[in-house]
Amino acid sequence: MHRAPALVPLLAVLALFPSLAGAAELDGATLSPLWAMPFAGTLLSIALFPLLAPRFWHHHFGKITAVWGLLFLVPFAVTFGTHAAAANAIHALLGEYIPFIALIAALYVVAGGICVRGNLHGTPALNTGILALGTVFASLMGTTGAAMLLIRPLLRANDNRQHVAHVVVFFIFLVANAGGSLTPLGDPPLFLGFLKGVDFFWTMQNIYLETLFLCVSLLVIFYFLDRHYFLNKEEQLPPALDPTPDSPGIRIEGKVNFLLLLAVVCLVLMSGLWKPGIVFDIMGTEVGLQAVVRDVALVAVALLSLLITPTSARAGNEFNWEPILEVAKLFAGIFLTIIPVIAMLKAGTEGAFAGVIRAVSDSQGQPIDSMYFWATGLLSSFLDNAPTYLVFFNTAGGDAATLMTQGATTLAAISAGAVFMGANTYIGNAPNLMVKAIAENRGVRMPSFFGYMLWSGAVLVPLFLVMTFLFFRV
């Protein structure tokens, strides 16, 4: 492996201040649970402010998130030194946040340039069909790409109805989460597993039954629930009040963006398959050349989409930057304040969350698949599901070749928990917040943070319990 120099300005800084070179390892075993308070504060702010002070939150959520970030970073710098604080912040930025937001933003921009013209009538059958189509697309173009492609046509088809929130909630369950479970392109945790050596088609071969059970169950439940609302005499607005009247035909504008979506998929695949052996070392954070090429190219693809997409296509989608800016600001705070939480989890039985780690193994040290499913899933509901996947991947042994064979059922439980249970909360997966923001911009009154959890608790949790007994060792 060759280590290439990082950016020239950064090298100049490191030359002037050599003590800044090299990362400071964060020993999670030495951390008090109090270090998790800024992260908890960030989550509670996301949960409570929209409920208690919605206008204040709408105008100041970025500032509130920044305050929680500083409440972690400043005490951390005082306690462990500025070098440790800078090194860990840069690791979160370069190793996690930039790759995450580059991919999410590229998919948002490219999919936002594909406008489905015309309008269909939002019947239970049509809505179920769109959800099923999006569920299939999610594993091919990622949950973000599929969600951004279909959420606007779905909202237009139903904008003459009184009850639309449930349609968006099930869209989040299926298209923004469960549908991305079959390939590494579908969801970030699976992509990280692919980078660690898990075969590209392994998840498709090993959790397709779990995916089929969950997705078919959700589609059936949704159809009958939507039918219940649809048959209500007061459900539909009079034709004269329909904001987007039904049209006989459907056409697609901005088709060139399908090629750009393919480019995004190829870039993701490239970063997992191409191993040039060149690494940029930035304050101890190793960034491979393939990752740099991928992220720069993703930005280029997004810019190209903005340049070549007809203005009318984005206007037809009512494209704006608010949803992606909300995700960018909130997840910047989440990725920063989650640093000590992940460190404590990685410390295993020596850390503050030792009880969680012990719970996934029996008295002989053998993995309990059902506990891996629930531990990975519940933490992925509130933490970022990508690092949570890695924590339990490593807890289960960390060797992809072994986990794909002898530990196949355990790896399946980890994969299913990380992807499926990202639907439990708005912050479980980035597309959840983006879909919510787009729906609210269109006038849909979405459930609050806890209101959404009532939906997931009533619909998803019973299905997860059934899956536990059907598919995972208890």
Side-chain angles (χ1 to χ4, degrees):
M1 181 187 296
H2 302 286
R3 294 187 184 278
L7 300 175
V8 172
L10 184 58
L11 281 177
V13 172
L14 295 180
L16 290 172
F17 302 98
S19 62
L20 294 181
E25 288 294 328
L26 183 58
D27 184 2
T30 65
L31 296 179
S32 161
L34 291 175
W35 285 107
M37 288 184 65
F39 178 71
T42 302
L43 299 190
L44 287 173
S45 296
I46 295 171
L48 296 178
F49 270 108
L51 189 64
L52 303 177
R55 294 188 64 181
F56 179 80
W57 174 255
H58 177 73
H59 292 289
H60 302 289
F61 66 86
K63 300 182 187 74
I64 295 169
T65 305
V67 167
W68 283 118
L70 290 173
L71 286 175
F72 157 68
L73 201 57
V74 173
F76 190 86
V78 171
T79 305
F80 296 99
T82 54
H83 167 236
N88 281 281
I90 285 178
H91 177 76
L93 177 70
L94 298 180
E96 297 165 357
Y97 180 71
I98 287 180
F100 165 82
I101 203 64
L103 177 60
I104 295 296
L107 290 170
Y108 177 79
V109 170
V110 173
I114 302 172
C115 180
V116 181
R117 294 289 187 183
N119 189 39
L120 298 175
H121 196 58
T123 64
L126 176 76
N127 290 339
T128 304
I130 293 176
L131 292 187
L133 182 66
T135 301
V136 173
F137 280 1
S139 280
L140 302 177
M141 63 172 62
T143 51
T144 299
M148 294 304 100
L149 178 66
L150 293 174
I151 184 58
R152 294 177 181 91
L154 183 66
L155 289 172
R156 280 203 303 273
N158 290 276
D159 60 6
N160 65 319
R161 294 180 54 177
Q162 300 286 350
H163 297 89
V164 183
H166 71 285
V167 179
V168 183
V169 167
F170 275 81
F171 186 89
I172 292 174
F173 289 169
L174 284 156
V175 182
N177 289 277
S181 62
L182 295 182
T183 74
L185 299 173
D187 221 31
L190 303 183
F191 179 63
L192 290 181
F194 174 60
L195 296 180
K196 291 289 185 180
V198 178
D199 292 343
F200 188 87
F201 292 106
W202 188 90
T203 49
M204 185 179 294
Q205 295 167 350
N206 285 270
I207 64 171
Y208 71 93
L209 287 177
E210 292 90 327
T211 302
L212 187 65
F213 170 82
L214 180 61
C215 293
V216 169
S217 298
L218 286 172
L219 287 169
V220 170
I221 293 170
F222 170 78
Y223 174 80
F224 285 104
L225 178 64
D226 197 45
R227 185 172 180 271
H228 166 74
Y229 285 123
F230 188 78
L231 294 178
N232 188 316
K233 292 181 180 180
E234 299 180 355
E235 172 67 8
Q236 300 181 64
L237 297 174
L241 299 179
D242 188 349
T244 54
D246 299 346
S247 57
I250 293 294
R251 63 185 179 87
I252 298 176
E253 191 174 0
K255 294 178 184 177
V256 67
N257 284 287
F258 284 112
L259 292 177
L260 296 181
L261 277 176
L262 179 61
V264 171
V265 171
C266 290
L267 286 170
V268 171
L269 279 173
M270 174 277 298
S271 67
L273 298 174
W274 180 43
K275 304 291 185 184
I278 300 175
V279 173
F280 298 87
D281 192 312
I282 304 175
M283 289 190 73
T285 296
E286 295 185 349
V287 182
L289 177 62
Q290 65 272 27
V292 175
V293 172
R294 178 196 63 215
D295 296 342
V296 171
L298 286 172
V299 173
V301 167
L303 292 174
L304 182 61
S305 175
L306 291 171
L307 285 173
I308 67 176
T309 300
T311 304
S312 57
R314 294 198 188 277
N317 279 335
E318 297 179 25
F319 179 89
N320 64 76
W321 295 100
E322 276 193 34
I324 190 64
L325 287 175
E326 181 175 350
V327 168
K329 291 177 182 180
L330 293 180
F331 274 86
I334 289 172
F335 273 100
L336 184 61
T337 58
I338 202 177
I339 290 172
V341 178
I342 295 297
M344 286 185 275
L345 283 169
K346 286 182 176 178
T349 56
E350 303 299 320
F353 299 121
V356 174
I357 306 301
R358 292 193 187 98
V360 299
S361 301
D362 59 22
S363 56
Q364 283 76 44
Q366 296 301 307
I368 304 174
D369 296 339
S370 59
M371 293 304 296
Y372 267 101
F373 174 62
W374 281 96
T376 306
L378 291 176
L379 287 175
S380 293
S381 301
F382 296 95
L383 310 182
D384 182 63
N385 59 3
T388 301
Y389 171 95
L390 284 182
V391 166
F392 287 100
F393 184 90
N394 289 322
T395 302
D399 179 67
T402 302
L403 285 172
M404 286 190 295
T405 52
Q406 296 164 300
T409 57
T410 302
L411 182 57
I414 295 169
S415 303
V419 177
F420 295 157
M421 294 202 199
N424 282 342
T425 72
Y426 280 135
I427 62 170
N429 204 14
N432 302 0
L433 278 175
M434 296 169 69
V435 169
K436 174 179 178 288
I438 290 172
E440 289 176 334
N441 284 341
R442 293 295 185 96
V444 178
R445 188 175 179 181
M446 290 296 293
S448 67
F449 185 88
F450 292 115
Y452 176 87
M453 287 182 65
L454 289 176
W455 276 97
S456 64
V459 177
L460 292 177
V461 172
L463 292 176
F464 293 150
L465 287 170
V466 173
M467 290 175 64
T468 303
F469 291 96
L470 287 178
F471 301 111
F472 305 118
R473 183 173 74 88
V474 179

